[in-house]
Amino acid sequence: MTLDAAWARRWMTQAAAALADAKDDLTELDRQIGDADHGVNLDRGFRAVVAKLEATPAPDDETVGAVLKLVATTLMSTVGGASGPLYGTAFLRAARVTDRAHLDPPAVIALLEAALEGITARGHATVGEKTMVDAWQPAADAAAAADEGTTREVLAAAARAADAGATATIPLVATKGRASYLGERSAGHEDPGARSTAILLATAVAAVEEP
Ligand code: ADP
Ligand code: MG
């Protein structure tokens, strides 16, 4: 059970498939409190990521960070909207702390914390503002709290927390991003970016191969 570059590549393949499946649901969430493009944006971006990875043969010494850096640059140039630069920065920061062949539990925690820092550096949102930070922050916190576990357990704790964090955005009033234009009317709908974060982290777990 190793989290290596092959895992990162499997993660992206599974993320693209899951986000394609969720495309209409994510777009519907964004229709409620945004401009109905989140599912379309991410589907386009992650399809491009898979195409880019397929066109880039893996060298024998490929690091996790090298994969995540390709993901970052591809997302930045293809997703658009608010979420493109946010996810792009998340993967870019994550790439910087994962320039190694294998991730151990501390490295998984570092990956998640770096991604979160990238998102907050770029978007200046904090927990409770009804954004993807409401999934990433609990994910990073849960990973850090699960540091005695295996890499898979650390990731799984993060994914569960992201899922709960996304659900917990439903009653919140948005104060950042496009949804904030709705003010109080943004309450009662799940934040699309928090939901897509939960999907992304669920596929990170699914991509881990059992020993
Ligand atoms: P846009 O809002 O430009 O149409 P998307 O629909 O692709 O872009 O993405 C919307 C998502 O981006 C929101 O659901 C929210 O999770 C996230 N988001 C928007 N602004 C911010 C921000 N400042 N910080 C963190 N996340 C944000
Ligand atoms: Mg949108």
Side-chain angles (χ1 to χ4, degrees):
M1 183 173 67
T2 56
L3 270 63
D4 54 9
W7 160 76
R9 283 171 172 262
R10 284 195 304 277
W11 176 17
M12 289 304 120
T13 306
Q14 296 195 24
L19 289 166
D21 282 347
K23 177 179 162 186
D24 292 345
D25 291 344
L26 291 171
T27 290
E28 186 51 35
L29 290 178
D30 198 30
R31 189 186 313 286
Q32 303 295 334
I33 59 170
D35 58 352
D37 65 357
H38 191 60
V40 176
N41 288 345
L42 289 188
D43 182 45
R44 182 176 56 241
F46 280 83
R47 262 177 217 276
V49 163
V50 170
K52 181 79 184 172
L53 289 171
E54 280 173 356
T56 311
D60 286 344
D61 59 352
E62 189 172 43
T63 63
V64 174
V67 175
L68 300 186
K69 185 152 183 238
L70 267 184
V71 173
T73 52
T74 307
L75 291 179
M76 288 204 191
S77 61
T78 57
V79 174
S83 62
L86 290 164
Y87 273 128
T89 309
F91 277 97
L92 200 59
R93 296 283 187 104
R96 279 194 208 152
V97 298
T98 53
D99 196 23
R100 46 199 286 178
H102 299 277
L103 305 188
D104 53 8
V108 173
I109 295 166
L111 184 165
L112 293 164
E113 287 177 344
L116 168 65
E117 280 163 20
I119 290 162
T120 56
R122 184 100 204 181
H124 308 286
T126 54
V127 163
E129 295 199 275
K130 201 180 182 93
T131 71
M132 61 172 71
V133 171
D134 290 314
W136 282 101
Q137 179 78 61
D141 292 348
D147 65 344
E148 304 279 298
T150 63
T151 49
R152 191 181 194 286
E153 285 163 356
V154 171
L155 259 188
R160 277 194 304 274
D163 184 69
T167 305
T169 64
I170 294 173
L172 299 177
V173 172
T175 48
K176 284 281 189 315
R178 211 177 271 283
S180 66
Y181 306 159
L182 290 178
E184 299 287 330
R185 279 182 293 134
S186 62
H189 305 283
E190 186 169 52
D191 178 65
R195 178 46 55 196
S196 62
T197 296
I199 293 169
L200 186 65
L201 294 182
T203 60
V205 183
V208 180
E209 280 175 345
E210 300 293 341

